[in-house]
């Protein structure tokens, strides 16, 4: 038996699929600037902060903007994005996520969120999951982006569990790297080719069980 006492969850790609809304809003912004980017390029934005995402997108379009202009563009994208997520419903929770959160709670494990998003509270409220979390650490509370371990270390600290007794669930490579750098166990949500550094890789939380948690 291991000593896992806390589960720290990434949000986009693990609990909900907000990537589709990010993509629509960024695409609208790029189109308004006269260019487009592909779904493949969009994959590189997962787990990446808003500011860094904009820099990458402007680079793909070969567009140069001042810092002040970038601030305006990021705010515009966020307005479009927030407009979409304000309509999110509990049925947008990814398969198995709620069931596994219930199992964590029944087992007495601490539950934390570790997300790059500054909109995490709104999303959790809309899908009705906010009360599951003992701590919510998101883009409003960190200064260093994944793969820096700050977001997960703050999550562990907030629930009072040492990093070595925490497991992080993540869909982005940078997030797995961040959790490893923080000394935590890792479960990758996605493809083994991409997330091979994780201790365990699953296609979704519907595949996660307390038995697998004990074997980490
Ligand atoms: P916001 P996660 C990340 O969420 C998204 O994957 C990423 O695409 C987004 O740019 C980032 O949050 C910031 O989001 O603009 O809402 O602050 O995977 O870390 O939960
Ligand atoms: Mg993610």
């Amino acid at each position: 038996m291991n000593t896992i006492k806390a589960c720290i969850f990434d949000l986009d790609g693990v609990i909900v699929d907000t990537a589709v809304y990010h993509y629509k809003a960024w695409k609208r912004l790029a189109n308004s600037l006269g260019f487009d980017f592909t779904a493949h390029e969009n994959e590189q934005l997962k787990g990446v902060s808003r500011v860094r995402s904009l820099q990458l997108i402007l680079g793909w379009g070969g567009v140069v903007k001042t810092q002040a202009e970038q601030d305006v563009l990021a705010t515009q994208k966020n307005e479009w994005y927030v407009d979409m997520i304000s309509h999110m419903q509990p049925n947008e929770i990814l398969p198995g996520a709620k069931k596994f959160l219930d199992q964590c709670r029944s087992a007495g494990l601490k539950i934390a969120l570790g997300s790059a998003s500054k909109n995490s509270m709104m999303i959790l409220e809309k899908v009705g999951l906010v009360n599951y979390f003992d701590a919510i650490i998101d883009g409003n509370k960190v200064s260093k982006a994944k793969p820096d371990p700050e977001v997960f270390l703050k999550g562990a600290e907030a629930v009072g569990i040492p990093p070595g007794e925490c497991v992080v669930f993540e869909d982005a490579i940078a997030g797995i790297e961040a959790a490893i750098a923080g000394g935590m166990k890792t479960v990758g949500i996605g493809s083994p080719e991409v997330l091979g550094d994780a201790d365990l890789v699953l296609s979704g939380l519907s595949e996660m069980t307390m038995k697998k948690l004990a074997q980490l």
Side-chain angles (χ1 to χ4, degrees):
M1 280 292 279
N2 65 44
T3 53
I4 295 294
K5 293 197 179 72
C7 292
I8 306 179
F9 296 90
D10 175 49
L11 183 59
D12 175 26
V14 173
I15 305 264
V16 289
D17 183 15
T18 37
V20 57
Y21 300 123
H22 282 296
Y23 184 39
K24 280 186 185 164
W26 283 128
K27 208 171 159 62
R28 185 171 171 187
L29 192 80
N31 292 169
S32 76
L33 295 170
F35 68 96
D36 205 356
F37 64 95
T38 64
H40 178 71
E41 285 169 323
N42 185 61
E43 286 300 304
Q44 295 173 47
L45 305 179
K46 291 187 176 174
V48 175
S49 73
R50 194 182 311 165
V51 170
R52 181 70 190 130
S53 297
L54 177 63
Q55 290 169 349
L56 287 168
I57 292 164
L58 292 176
W60 296 333
V63 172
V64 178
K65 294 286 179 187
T66 65
Q67 187 54 57
E69 289 169 333
Q70 288 184 35
D71 292 347
V72 171
L73 292 171
T75 300
Q76 173 65 85
K77 178 267 174 179
N78 194 54
E79 280 175 15
W80 287 330
Y81 175 70
V82 167
D83 191 43
M84 285 187 278
I85 60 171
S86 68
H87 301 292
M88 284 184 81
Q89 301 280 329
N91 64 11
E92 291 184 67
I93 298 168
L94 285 170
K98 193 166 185 179
K99 187 176 170 201
F100 185 64
L101 285 167
D102 276 321
Q103 288 176 342
C104 289
R105 203 189 236 177
S106 300
L109 300 171
K110 293 287 183 189
I111 301 174
L113 189 83
S115 166
S117 176
K118 292 185 174 177
N119 296 299
S120 68
M121 190 56 93
M122 181 184 199
I123 296 164
L124 291 176
E125 278 172 0
K126 291 289 170 190
V127 300
L129 290 180
V130 73
N131 291 331
Y132 278 89
F133 291 86
D134 299 299
I136 293 177
I137 309 296
D138 67 8
N140 298 299
K141 294 192 177 156
V142 295
S143 55
K144 288 173 248 161
K146 302 166 190 176
D148 189 283
E150 183 186 15
V151 67
F152 297 133
L153 291 175
K154 282 194 169 169
E157 193 183 357
V159 296
I161 303 293
E165 295 171 20
C166 296
V167 57
V168 169
F169 297 84
E170 251 291 350
D171 70 316
I173 308 166
I176 295 294
E177 288 172 2
I180 292 171
M184 298 163 186
K185 296 283 185 189
T186 51
V187 176
I189 302 295
S191 117
E193 288 85 60
V194 180
L195 304 170
D197 288 343
D199 295 306
L200 174 68
V201 181
L202 306 173
S203 66
L205 284 177
S206 55
E207 287 182 24
M208 190 61 198
T209 61
M210 282 296 138
K211 191 175 173 196
K212 287 177 183 171
L213 194 86
Q215 289 167 345
L216 283 172

